[in-house]
Amino acid sequence: MAMVETIFAAVSGLCGASLGAASTLLVQRARRRDDAAAASLAAERSAQAAREAAEREASQAREAAEHERALAIQAYFREAERADAKEKAAASALTVEMLATARVAARMWLITAERAIRDLQQGHAVDPERYDEQLQAELKEFTSTLYRIATRHLGHPALGRSNRALVELLSETSQHLRDALRINVGARLPESELDDLVQDARHVFGMANAYLVDNTEAITGRRIEDVERCMPSPREH
């Protein structure tokens, strides 16, 4: 009996040891599985975080590139606007300069016409060729300046519409003055005809000057004073 109990106790001890070892092995395996799962999850989370960070960086890079592109486009259009404004300002300045040149030429034409008629009225000996040359020179400058304005199309469509009529009026009045100077060489013209010539010359000049002044004011946006309207500064000869 004692032998049986001894054998049973030995077998029980061996079974218990085996069960303990098996239990420990199972726990270790479960722990390794848990550690592996945790490591895998951590690696996946790390990879996801890296992908998200990369996507954020890529998105920020795209936004920065779009921003730079937008700034570049804005800068281009601002520069184009400035260049266009400079070009328009230069064209306007040139047109105003041409209008001033035409005004001076018209004024000098009137001064020459008035001087010639005054000499005739006072009975002075006149040189028709000399006066004719002066009138033609001023008329030529007036005409060429107006045609330059019309030909260049300097951004002011109204300019040029009345140019031909003004040139024809000044040319016609100049011809009347030349005829009067030549006629007066052999015979004195009546005072009334000389007065009419003066009035015609002043009327034509007034029309031309008003046209030039109106266009100058339209371009500059500044009103020309009455004295300046009537008496543009003549250039020096």
Side-chain angles (χ1 to χ4, degrees), residues 70-80 82:
L71 290 178
I73 292 174
Q74 292 175 1
Y76 170 80
F77 281 111
R78 282 197 300 269
E79 185 62 29
R82 284 195 292 268

Side-chain angles (χ1 to χ4, degrees), residues 6-124:
T6 300
I7 293 171
F8 181 76
V11 170
S12 296
L14 290 172
C15 289
S18 297
L19 288 173
S23 176
T24 300
L25 181 61
L26 290 174
V27 169
Q28 290 175 347
R29 286 180 178 177
R31 185 175 297 169
R32 283 197 295 272
R33 285 197 301 269
D34 290 343
D35 291 344
S40 177
L41 180 60
E44 183 178 348
R45 288 177 177 174
S46 178
Q48 180 65 25
R51 286 194 296 269
E52 291 176 355
E55 289 177 359
R56 284 195 300 270
E57 290 179 1
S59 177
Q60 291 172 354
R62 286 193 297 269
E63 290 177 359
E66 287 296 324
H67 182 65
E68 290 180 3
R69 179 174 176 273
L71 290 178
I73 292 174
Q74 292 175 1
Y76 170 80
F77 281 111
R78 282 197 300 269
E79 185 62 29
E81 288 174 358
R82 284 195 292 268
D84 185 57
K86 288 180 180 179
E87 183 178 352
K88 289 180 178 179
S92 294
L94 179 58
T95 305
V96 170
E97 181 181 347
M98 290 181 177
L99 289 167
T101 299
R103 287 185 64 208
V104 172
R107 180 64 185 173
M108 295 304 297
W109 174 88
L110 177 63
I111 290 173
T112 301
E114 288 179 333
R115 184 186 303 119
I117 295 171
R118 184 168 59 251
D119 285 347
L120 293 177
Q121 289 174 327
Q122 294 174 355
H124 297 162

Side-chain angles (χ1 to χ4, degrees), residues 2-235:
M3 180 66 70
V4 172
E5 290 177 354
T6 300
I7 293 171
F8 181 76
V11 170
S12 296
L14 290 172
C15 289
S18 297
L19 288 173
S23 176
T24 300
L25 181 61
L26 290 174
V27 169
Q28 290 175 347
R29 286 180 178 177
R31 185 175 297 169
R32 283 197 295 272
R33 285 197 301 269
D34 290 343
D35 291 344
S40 177
L41 180 60
E44 183 178 348
R45 288 177 177 174
S46 178
Q48 180 65 25
R51 286 194 296 269
E52 291 176 355
E55 289 177 359
R56 284 195 300 270
E57 290 179 1
S59 177
Q60 291 172 354
R62 286 193 297 269
E63 290 177 359
E66 287 296 324
H67 182 65
E68 290 180 3
R69 179 174 176 273
L71 290 178
I73 292 174
Q74 292 175 1
Y76 170 80
F77 281 111
R78 282 197 300 269
E79 185 62 29
E81 288 174 358
R82 284 195 292 268
D84 185 57
K86 288 180 180 179
E87 183 178 352
K88 289 180 178 179
S92 294
L94 179 58
T95 305
V96 170
E97 181 181 347
M98 290 181 177
L99 289 167
T101 299
R103 287 185 64 208
V104 172
R107 180 64 185 173
M108 295 304 297
W109 174 88
L110 177 63
I111 290 173
T112 301
E114 288 179 333
R115 184 186 303 119
I117 295 171
R118 184 168 59 251
D119 285 347
L120 293 177
Q121 289 174 327
Q122 294 174 355
H124 297 162
V126 297
D127 182 352
E129 297 302 327
R130 181 172 66 86
Y131 277 119
D132 184 32
E133 181 180 340
Q134 292 177 2
L135 289 170
Q136 285 294 89
E138 301 302 341
L139 180 60
K140 180 179 180 181
E141 180 155 7
F142 177 84
T143 302
S144 62
T145 302
L146 289 190
Y147 284 156
R148 282 174 61 205
I149 294 173
T151 302
R152 291 176 64 89
H153 300 293
L154 299 179
H156 307 282
L159 292 172
R161 293 175 183 171
S162 301
N163 289 1
R164 179 172 296 180
L166 291 174
V167 170
E168 289 176 352
L169 283 172
L170 262 73
S171 297
E172 182 179 346
T173 306
S174 294
Q175 185 60 52
H176 292 165
L177 287 167
R178 286 196 295 272
D179 293 342
L181 289 168
R182 290 190 175 91
I183 291 173
N184 197 71
V185 173
R188 181 180 174 82
L189 287 173
E191 192 70 25
S192 60
E193 290 189 23
L194 295 176
D195 288 339
D196 288 343
L197 278 175
V198 171
Q199 295 305 317
D200 288 345
R202 290 173 178 171
H203 176 69
V204 171
F205 165 76
M207 292 178 61
N209 192 59
Y211 167 77
L212 298 170
V213 167
D214 289 345
N215 279 285
T216 301
E217 290 178 340
I219 296 171
T220 62
R222 181 183 69 85
R223 187 180 185 281
I224 297 177
E225 299 299 329
D226 291 338
V227 173
E228 190 180 353
R229 279 172 171 263
C230 299
M231 297 292 291
S233 302
R235 64 188 178 284

